[in-house]
Amino acid sequence: MPHYVYIVSDTPLTLWGLSSRERLRRLFTRLGSFIFLDALDALPPDASVLLLRGDFLYDERILKRLIHEEQTLLQVPVKSQHISVAASVPASLAPQASRLLSYPSDSPRLPNVHTVQLHEWSAGFQEQLRKFDPPYVLPITADNQRALEEHLYSGSYKGVTDLITKWAWPIPAKWVVRVCVNLGIVPNVVTTVSVVLTVIAGVCFAQGAFGSGLVAGWIMTFLDTVDGKLARVTVTSSKIGHILDHGLDTIHPPLWYIAWGMGLAAFTPPTPWLSLFNIFMIIVSAYIAGRLCESVFKFRLGQFGLFCWRPVDSLNRLITARRNPNLILLTGSLCMGRPDLGFLAVAAWTVLSTAFLYLRLALAFRAKAISGQPLRPWLADIGTYVHSESFVARIFTRPPFTSIMTSPE
């Protein structure tokens, strides 16, 4: 396993404000403890080193694979030829490997080093982002600089998410991410603003100022998208930011709904027993039960998560009773002049969504018991059991990025 990294054939071009060298440094910092060398002379004679061409953009999954390989040369297709872009070799072969990556046509092959092609490392399912996305290594040139930034941005999105995050936020969020990059605004600053807006929205709801609360709430949900995308395209993350972001996403939605109910000037329950307190309990209980259902699936049946098990589960994630779909219900009810109906709609939709999740969980346990095999996400079967051009596949995946495969200068 290489603990030293050396970059050859660097490029002055930046992607989302980061040089290739700095992006690699941040990625390797996240992957473990690595020492970046400014010169191969500093490499200990008994060590191994990972050499990378700095004029290529690397998928993090490829870097993870490379750090576990020994005496391996990675080649990628660029136009009609295969370009050597990375080599994991012992110190004795480091000078030869450096020359091979810098001047491939002038250098002999490396002895006892296995050559692999990118397509051989083609596992594409990303558990963290809940999507199928083939791994890539792409040349960085002036002609494709903006296209690569677009690729990094689109790749920062979860494939399986709600309909607002998937279709309403991407374009405006990209504009704001670019502004943040240009101004040097880090993700934790955006997350802090989101926290403040969360509190403001809750206070407005509780006071019956539903319009103001919804404005603050929708801006908060938008910034919740921005901070995650900003963190991914700039490879900027921190433990406190991660905890704050995900903790906020988990805790605040039911509190908003309770505040909304408290802010209703008048509420006439459809049945005598359906008091405000009982509705509060229904919403909170159903919300917690739904989260528990997802956790049971993840830890007992599949690390990929319930919403990635079958296409119907991914489609359900678009509208299931999470914050953004529920905000649509609350916004629609306020536009109708009946915020009380939005409160009831959230309660009903939360119960129905949770019931559907438990049905899917029961079917998943049954499927595993019948097959005796671990469950697989449908996204991992695209191209085999799932047609890549099917309607649902087109919704939740993006095609391999080959349109900018031009040869680097």
Side-chain angles (χ1 to χ4, degrees):
M1 176 178 178
H3 294 280
Y4 293 88
V5 178
Y6 182 70
I7 298 175
V8 300
S9 302
D10 209 348
T11 175
L13 300 174
T14 62
L15 300 176
W16 290 108
L18 288 183
S19 67
S20 178
R21 181 177 293 270
E22 180 60 24
R23 182 175 297 277
L24 286 169
R25 283 184 183 275
R26 294 187 183 187
L27 286 170
F28 278 105
T29 298
R30 190 160 66 188
L31 294 175
S33 178
F34 294 88
I35 300 173
F36 272 73
L37 299 173
D38 293 324
L40 288 176
D41 295 342
L43 180 66
D46 58 344
S48 60
V49 61
L50 175 59
L51 297 97
L52 298 164
R53 284 190 59 153
D55 54 352
F56 277 76
L57 175 66
Y58 296 85
D59 190 311
E60 185 174 349
R61 290 166 295 176
I62 296 300
L63 297 180
K64 287 181 180 179
R65 181 69 181 267
L66 281 168
I67 63 179
H68 294 292
E69 296 291 330
E70 294 182 355
Q71 299 195 187
T72 299
L73 179 71
L74 175 65
Q75 293 185 336
V76 301
V78 179
K79 283 194 171 180
S80 59
Q81 58 183 325
H82 290 278
I83 300 295
S84 297
V85 297
S88 175
V89 296
S92 59
L93 291 177
Q96 287 180 256
S98 177
R99 183 169 180 81
L100 174 62
L101 297 184
S102 301
Y103 311 103
S105 60
D106 299 335
S107 303
R109 294 179 61 85
L110 299 174
N112 301 317
V113 173
H114 175 59
T115 300
V116 296
Q117 304 298 325
L118 180 63
H119 68 82
E120 297 178 45
W121 295 349
S122 59
F125 180 72
Q126 290 186 319
E127 294 179 3
Q128 184 179 5
L129 295 182
R130 299 195 294 272
K131 64 182 181 181
F132 178 87
D133 191 10
Y136 58 84
V137 177
L138 300 169
I140 303 173
T141 69
D143 292 337
N144 64 25
Q145 182 180 16
R146 184 52 64 93
L148 285 175
E149 289 186 333
E150 294 286 339
H151 184 65
L152 284 171
Y153 178 78
S154 63
S156 71
Y157 260 83
K158 293 175 180 174
V160 180
T161 186
D162 67 87
L163 73 171
I164 296 295
T165 302
K166 191 168 189 65
W167 288 309
W169 291 156
I171 292 178
K174 181 172 61 177
W175 296 338
V176 175
V177 167
R178 192 170 295 281
V179 170
C180 289
V181 168
N182 293 336
L183 296 179
I185 298 174
V186 298
N188 281 356
V189 172
V190 181
T191 303
T192 301
V193 175
S194 294
V195 173
V196 174
L197 288 171
T198 301
V199 175
I200 291 174
V203 171
C204 288
F205 291 156
Q207 294 178 347
F210 298 121
S212 299
L214 284 172
V215 170
W218 279 116
I219 295 175
M220 178 270 166
T221 68
F222 174 71
L223 293 181
D224 188 39
T225 289
V226 170
D227 64 2
K229 308 307 166 286
L230 179 61
R232 292 188 185 105
V233 300
T234 60
V235 200
T236 305
S237 62
S238 65
K239 289 185 178 179
I240 187 171
H242 181 79
I243 293 172
L244 187 62
D245 183 42
H246 289 274
L248 180 67
D249 287 347
T250 302
I251 294 172
H252 83 271
L255 299 180
W256 272 4
Y257 312 145
I258 291 174
W260 186 282
M262 293 171 59
L264 293 173
F267 178 73
T268 303
T271 60
W273 63 269
L274 205 58
S275 64
L276 274 177
F277 178 79
N278 288 341
I279 296 177
F280 292 160
M281 294 302 296
I282 290 172
I283 290 176
V284 172
S285 299
Y287 178 81
I288 294 174
R291 289 287 188 170
L292 288 175
C293 179
E294 295 172 40
S295 297
V296 169
F297 183 95
K298 185 171 184 178
F299 292 108
R300 293 290 304 275
L301 297 174
Q303 290 295 316
F304 49 87
L306 175 55
F307 293 114
C308 295
W309 179 39
R310 293 287 185 268
V312 66
D313 300 305
S314 297
L315 290 170
N316 176 47
R317 180 63 181 88
L318 293 171
I319 59 172
T320 197
R322 290 286 186 87
R323 178 193 61 208
N324 288 354
N326 283 345
L327 276 181
I328 294 175
L329 297 177
L330 295 176
T331 303
S333 70
L334 184 64
C335 292
M336 295 168 55
R338 293 292 304 273
D340 57 320
L341 293 182
F343 182 57
L344 291 172
V346 167
W349 189 234
T350 303
V351 170
L352 289 173
S353 293
T354 298
F356 184 76
L357 290 180
Y358 275 92
L359 172 63
R360 298 300 300 165
L361 180 65
L363 292 174
F365 270 110
R366 180 174 180 271
K368 184 175 181 180
I370 292 174
S371 67
Q373 301 293 324
L375 299 183
R376 285 174 53 84
W378 73 272
L379 292 163
D381 292 328
I382 291 177
T384 54
Y385 301 109
V386 179
H387 197 282
S388 59
E389 294 301 317
S390 64
F391 171 74
V392 70
R394 291 200 304 271
I395 290 179
F396 295 108
T397 65
R398 60 177 184 167
F401 195 52
T402 58
S403 60
I404 63 170
M405 287 293 191
T406 58
S407 180
E409 297 177 356

